[in-house]
Amino acid sequence: MNKFDQIDNFTAELLDNLFSGRNLNADPVSPQAAKIRELFSISALDNQTGNIVELFKILKLARASQGFSPLAFDISRQDLVDLALKHQQIDEHRVSIGGRVDKALSIVSEAGSRVDWYLEQKDVSAPSGIELWDRIEQNHLRIRQLLGMSMEDWNSFSGQLRFAVESVETLGEILNLPAEAIEEVSRVTRNYRMRLTPYYAGLIMPETLDDPVLLQAVPTGEMVDNAGIEIPPVAADHSPARLIDQFYPRVVTIKATNMCAMYCTHCLRIAHIGKKDRIYTGKAYEEAFKYIRDDSRIRDVLITGGDAFMLPDEMLLRLLGELDSIDHVRVKRLGTRIPVTTPQRITRELLDILEMSNDRKPLRVVTQINTAQEITPVSREAFKQLSKRVSAVMNQAVLLKGINDTRVKMWKLCETIQEAYVRPYYIFNCSYRNPQFAHLRVPVKKGQDIVESMYGNISGDAIPRFIATAGGKIPLHSSNVTGAEGRELILRKPWSGEEVRYPDPDPVEYVRHDIAFNKFEKNDGHEAGDQEQEQSRLRGQGQNPGTR
Ligand SMILES: *Cc1c(COP(=O)(O)O)cnc(C)c1O
Ligand code: SF4
């Protein structure tokens, strides 16, 4: 007898429970009894698990709600043991009926309650631009007519920039803001530039004062009224060469332009961006490339800005070509929000340039989408085209008060962008450096709650890492290792709080070298593992590996 000819513990437990019920008084002509008898006879005949599962479920219900044992329906323990074994034999993975009915189905149904609230709220409190598309299309039509744009203007990047909304008057015409609000915006725009492409302006729901796109794009009084001193932007102490920012030995950024198609109220580079459009000289780029060429440690170069897609095609072609010609530069990135703010920029010519460079060395596009509302059928199409031509399209969202600082909004953002071919990469906690947007900051604890709540509830590759920027990117996730007992760690499941024990490998075993084929090695006195381990061991002893 092999072990599949026996019932397992889950099934034994289920049967014990069922047969602890009363075996009399079931009404033999009730619909319930009829259903049970029917399931019993067909499950004996057919070669499926479905009817067996249904039968056990309904018997379980009869036991729980009315106290009936299967005997009340003329079904014996042996009958059910036979069906249980049959179930186990049909199932590809030999899952027992007890495991399925008593455990798996209950676990799944209980887990469902972790997401049911989200499924109810997501399209109401965090609608995507796809769900709002009818209203956005009406906005677009209205704005296009108001600005006197032709369809050709509308569908081209140059047209979108030429007709960009930069004045408070135009803003007032396309949105339904109260007079005091318009007054306030004009006060702020004396210091901070406002620019919305007509397309992006159309994503704003014109009657909604707390619209999340409005809050990202239109400067408010706090930007000038917030008390505090602006801490110099990172460039002041992290720029080893013209246009270059460097926090890490192997990754650098080139800030190739200071222009954007839309200016964000929460821009980290607010000191440089959007004050005045500047064209950088050829000399500046030359010096930046010389810096990269001269340091062979640099492996990953991020062309950013401003917005990399503000650069004309020929310029992007040149910059990417330059990077591709440097042997030690192995991968590249472009930082851009333009697929979100002005998807008209994603033309066939641009896509061809990106693909050509990606064919030489992997090119990723890093974007910034902060709300599901920013994903429309048009931007989704732009991202779909991009994703076919580059090695990855990734999102860096910024956690912003009133914009995306709830579980439902952030889950919805991550799922919506994933469905739009974009991989959630980072969520930045809004920076402390600039008083201009201190009013948009969210406590780290809140951000941790939002990100942790995603584990187990949305796809793992739709969960971004939560990051503070403070002279480099510092991960902020809370630890799920809550303790240790002997060699066992105590781990917490983020989605339920349940703690599980997790045996760590034996540290003595771990440093053993004589495993696998090493057993056959001639002993030449060389012991250790790889150089990295060797070096960290030496560092641990306070020695300098270089002098050994
Ligand atoms: C964000 C950033 C990078 C890239 O960091 P990753 O963690 O590799 O995404 C590199 N340099 C600077 C200056 C940056 O701001
Ligand atoms: S797109 Fe980036 S660089 Fe441009 S304004 Fe927004 S945050 Fe700043």
Side-chain angles (χ1 to χ4, degrees), residues 259-260 262-264 266-269 273 305-307 337 368:
M259 294 181 240
C260 297
M262 177 281 248
Y263 292 111
C264 308
H266 56 274
C267 179
L268 198 63
R269 301 204 169 124
I273 303 298
D307 192 307
R337 250 204 120 173
Q368 186 197 139

Side-chain angles (χ1 to χ4, degrees), residues 358-390:
N358 184 59
D359 279 347
R360 295 201 199 104
K361 298 169 189 180
L363 173 64
R364 299 97 90 208
V365 168
V366 184
T367 192
Q368 186 197 139
I369 313 162
N370 296 321
T371 58
Q373 192 165 323
E374 291 163 280
I375 293 290
T376 66
V378 181
S379 54
R380 182 179 183 275
E381 179 63 24
F383 283 121
K384 179 167 126 189
Q385 296 305 331
L386 281 170
S387 74
K388 292 187 197 179
R389 306 292 196 106
V390 298

Side-chain angles (χ1 to χ4, degrees), residues 98-366:
R100 182 152 291 153
V101 169
D102 245 10
K103 305 293 165 191
L105 287 171
S106 333
I107 291 170
V108 169
S109 127
E110 196 188 301
S113 63
R114 292 205 314 264
V115 296
D116 287 341
W117 66 270
Y118 168 68
L119 297 175
E120 271 162 34
Q121 289 177 30
K122 71 186 180 80
D123 299 350
V124 184
S125 33
S128 73
I130 295 170
E131 288 142 12
L132 292 171
W133 186 237
D134 283 351
R135 293 171 66 186
I136 293 173
E137 271 192 308
Q138 287 168 23
N139 295 344
H140 281 165
L141 180 64
R142 191 168 40 81
I143 293 170
R144 189 166 64 75
Q145 287 173 345
L146 218 139
L147 298 177
M149 293 175 78
S150 68
M151 269 322 274
E152 204 186 330
D153 291 331
W154 185 270
N155 289 324
S156 75
F157 185 55
S158 61
Q160 287 285 334
L161 286 189
R162 207 149 19 91
F163 287 89
V165 179
E166 304 202 351
S167 80
V168 184
E169 294 69 43
T170 318
L171 185 77
E173 286 170 32
I174 61 174
L175 299 178
N176 214 345
L177 294 173
E180 314 88 82
I182 295 288
E183 184 62 34
E184 176 164 296
V185 177
S186 43
R187 182 164 66 91
V188 187
T189 47
R190 285 198 276 274
N191 290 291
Y192 292 101
R193 187 156 165 198
M194 177 180 71
R195 164 144 86 182
L196 296 86
T197 55
Y199 165 85
Y200 196 70
L203 307 191
I204 299 171
M205 295 298 120
E207 316 284 334
T208 314
L209 280 179
D210 61 353
D211 182 277
V213 178
L214 174 71
L215 294 175
Q216 290 181 65
V218 175
T220 60
E222 288 86 355
M223 291 180 74
V224 285
D225 297 342
N226 281 352
I229 301 158
E230 182 172 331
I231 301 171
V234 285
D237 51 355
H238 280 91
S239 180
R242 276 169 97 175
L243 306 186
I244 301 270
D245 271 0
Q246 184 167 17
F247 292 140
Y248 313 116
R250 309 196 66 198
V251 191
V252 301
T253 64
I254 307 178
K255 290 175 295 176
T257 169
N258 81 331
M259 294 181 240
C260 297
M262 177 281 248
Y263 292 111
C264 308
T265 52
H266 56 274
C267 179
L268 198 63
R269 301 204 169 124
I270 204 159
H272 299 293
I273 303 298
K275 281 270 152 81
K276 184 170 176 296
D277 291 351
R278 293 182 54 195
I279 306 286
Y280 302 155
T281 61
K283 188 79 191 124
Y285 293 109
E286 267 170 45
E287 286 187 28
F289 281 112
K290 179 170 185 339
Y291 181 81
I292 295 168
R293 212 174 291 111
D294 286 350
D295 186 347
S296 61
R297 281 177 296 212
I298 297 170
R299 173 184 170 274
D300 184 359
V301 178
L302 173 48
I303 300 176
T304 175
D307 192 307
F309 282 0
M310 285 301 280
L311 300 167
D313 284 356
E314 318 77 70
M315 184 74 180
L316 275 174
L317 184 67
R318 261 213 351 259
L319 298 184
L320 289 170
E322 191 76 45
L323 293 180
D324 287 330
S325 76
I326 302 173
D327 188 48
H328 56 262
V329 172
R330 300 300 167 86
V331 288
K332 299 108 41 187
R333 286 185 242 189
L334 293 172
T336 175
R337 250 204 120 173
I338 280 178
V340 186
T341 62
T342 329
Q344 293 76 8
R345 172 74 179 93
I346 315 307
T347 59
R348 186 160 303 144
E349 293 73 33
L350 174 65
L351 292 167
D352 287 345
I353 291 169
L354 302 182
E355 183 175 6
M356 195 160 60
S357 177
N358 184 59
D359 279 347
R360 295 201 199 104
K361 298 169 189 180
L363 173 64
R364 299 97 90 208
V365 168
V366 184

